[in-house]
Amino acid sequence: MTHVVETPSTAAPSRTGTSVKLVGVIKDYAGQRALTGLDLEIEPGEFIALLGPSGCGKTTALRALSGLEQIDGGSILIDDVDVARTPVNKRDMGMVFQSYSLFPHMTALQNVEFGLRMRKVDSASRRSRAVEALEMVGLSALAERFAHQLSGGQQQRVALARALVTRPRVLLLDEPLSALDAKVRVALRDEIRRIQKDLGITTLFVTHDQEEALAVADRVAVMNSGNIEQVGTPEELYLNPATAFVADFVGLSNKLEGTVVGGVVTVYGQPLNVLGEVPLSGAVTAFVRPEDVMLADAGLPGTVVSTSFLGSLRRTFVRLTDGTIITVQHDVAERCELGESVSLRFKGRPVAVAPKQ
Ligand code: ADP
Ligand code: MG
């Protein structure tokens, strides 16, 4: 058996700057098209969140990129090299999945060492690199524990260390946090982000949780029915959604009936500019953010049906006289009581519109 001696530093990026390009990728499952010509470019060192509802094709896209799934059309380029014929173990990618995939009969350390053993790295380097990778994810103290002696969050840290210890060019994470409770989820996502930045590793992070996507990613790719609707920074997606799907999926919106004439939509008698290009006229659904509605002295009359204190803000649901419920986000100092009569106004920020839903 030959042993490859490698430098012990896991903390140093393997190589800087790997680019990933998916170009017109098509994937069919028994006649059903799961990816319909998907295009996505990830810059070297960039952290992209692939966000979309369950069943839209996120896992398929990730598996296609990793080589776990053969594609039926299009191409995948890593550092501008087409990897169509490159098998999964030669694509040099680290993967973390939703379900804990640790080997139950191995300790945390042995789990992390496993990939290096497969690569025939000598035992001394293996050990020091695995120790270092566990340190990176804050688990040095638990190196000798078995999976059943670790919490879900700790197991995912081991899985992350295991993915990183081989110094992959690209890190792929498929809903790695969705089995964890809320607090652990937030702590671990921030930690993944920190490590990703430290290593400068090109990363694709799949999630159906829009808050998670907006919180961690450089850019978010919003996916719907086998394709990407929009790629943008969290701010771009939130403030300037390109499609109704994005407006609806990213952040909260009130979906209200409106009428478009010449780029202006009138909602409950109040004219609002329409975001982006406006191919529509006539009856539409307008997406009005809760923070773009305010409690006012005069305006649309309604009744408070619920109000909740969310720490830095208050969210209140108001039923209008036509039965429509509008969500308003407002200052905690503006108190309102259940059943109270209030008036609403739109602040006048531009809104996204879609054909009437
Ligand atoms: P997501 O990860 O966004 O929830 P998936 O990529 O898992 O979505 O699935 C996309 C679509 O492809 C779904 O309609 C799913 O049912 C289908 N699909 C996924 N894997 C297979 C498979 N191995 N065989 C057949 N259909 C599949
Ligand atoms: Mg999935």
Side-chain angles (χ1 to χ4, degrees):
M1 194 148 81
T2 54
H3 288 292
V4 183
V5 179
E6 301 194 24
T7 52
S9 175
T10 308
S14 52
R15 290 153 211 135
T16 41
T18 295
S19 69
V20 170
K21 290 191 187 90
L22 288 92
V23 187
V25 172
I26 289 172
K27 175 67 193 175
D28 294 324
Y29 290 117
Q32 194 204 348
R33 187 147 288 190
L35 300 178
T36 62
L38 183 138
D39 293 317
L40 178 64
E41 286 195 22
I42 314 179
E43 304 289 332
E46 193 177 24
F47 190 125
I48 292 241
L50 187 57
L51 170 70
S54 178
C56 73
K58 303 181 297 296
T59 294
T60 304
L62 182 131
R63 288 171 60 85
L65 176 53
S66 71
L68 286 169
E69 222 51 90
Q70 289 300 304
I71 58 176
D72 298 299
S75 48
I76 296 174
L77 307 168
I78 309 213
D79 276 342
D80 295 318
V81 176
D82 192 321
V83 293
R85 307 258 168 273
T86 311
V88 57
N89 59 341
K90 294 280 184 317
R91 288 200 192 180
D92 204 2
M93 297 186 176
M95 284 181 263
V96 180
F97 302 100
Q98 175 184 342
S99 55
Y100 318 130
S101 46
L102 302 185
F103 298 114
H105 58 286
M106 291 185 194
T107 63
L109 188 68
Q110 288 165 342
N111 264 282
V112 177
E113 275 189 53
F114 182 76
L116 299 176
R117 192 187 291 268
M118 290 295 99
R119 282 159 206 243
K120 302 192 168 52
V121 176
D122 73 275
S123 67
S125 309
R126 222 159 58 207
R127 166 69 45 132
S128 65
R129 281 174 58 179
V131 164
E132 199 176 3
L134 281 173
E135 222 160 75
M136 194 157 55
V137 299
L139 270 196
S140 318
L142 307 181
E144 297 308 323
R145 292 225 186 145
F146 290 91
H148 73 271
Q149 299 169 316
L150 297 167
S151 70
Q154 290 165 344
Q155 289 184 51
Q156 284 303 66
R157 283 171 193 268
V158 177
L160 182 62
R162 193 176 57 179
L164 291 171
V165 77
T166 58
R167 300 173 194 152
R169 290 192 293 175
V170 180
L171 179 62
L172 304 176
L173 306 118
D174 192 356
E175 314 231 15
L177 309 175
S178 39
L180 307 175
D181 67 57
K183 223 168 177 173
V184 178
R185 213 156 61 214
V186 170
L188 194 47
R189 87 178 180 210
D190 292 344
E191 191 131 353
I192 289 172
R193 177 55 159 159
R194 177 187 62 76
I195 294 168
Q196 183 272 339
K197 268 193 173 157
D198 282 354
L199 298 181
I201 187 169
T202 306
T203 298
L204 186 64
F205 179 101
V206 164
T207 178
H208 65 270
D209 180 335
Q210 51 108 3
E211 192 210 313
E212 192 167 284
L214 298 184
V216 292
D218 291 313
R219 290 189 301 154
V220 178
V222 182
M223 202 171 166
N224 180 24
S225 306
N227 220 323
I228 285 170
E229 294 245 338
Q230 186 176 7
V231 186
T233 63
E235 286 90 339
E236 281 165 357
L237 294 180
Y238 194 82
L239 297 174
N240 220 341
T243 65
F245 179 83
V246 176
D248 201 10
F249 198 75
V250 177
L252 281 176
S253 283
N254 291 291
K255 288 188 260 181
L256 304 174
E257 286 181 19
T259 309
V260 173
V261 177
V264 174
V265 60
T266 301
V267 185
Y268 286 106
Q270 201 178 326
L272 301 168
N273 285 324
V274 172
L275 277 171
E277 286 173 30
V278 195
L280 297 170
S281 63
V284 295
T285 297
F287 296 86
V288 183
R289 301 284 189 198
E291 65 270 28
D292 291 342
V293 190
M294 59 184 177
L295 299 167
D297 292 334
L300 276 174
T303 309
V304 173
V305 290
S306 81
T307 180
S308 41
F309 172 74
L310 299 177
S312 56
L313 54 90
R314 190 179 289 279
R315 191 172 290 152
T316 297
F317 296 82
V318 174
R319 182 183 288 116
L320 303 182
T321 46
D322 68 359
T324 303
I325 292 187
I326 293 193
T327 310
V328 190
Q329 218 157 276
H330 56 101
D331 200 286
V332 284
E334 293 178 304
R335 301 190 62 87
C336 46
E337 307 296 332
L338 218 60
E340 188 181 333
S341 295
V342 292
S343 298
L344 300 182
R345 279 189 64 73
F346 303 122
K347 290 184 184 170
R349 283 238 303 249
V351 297
V353 298
K356 196 172 167 192
Q357 294 181 337

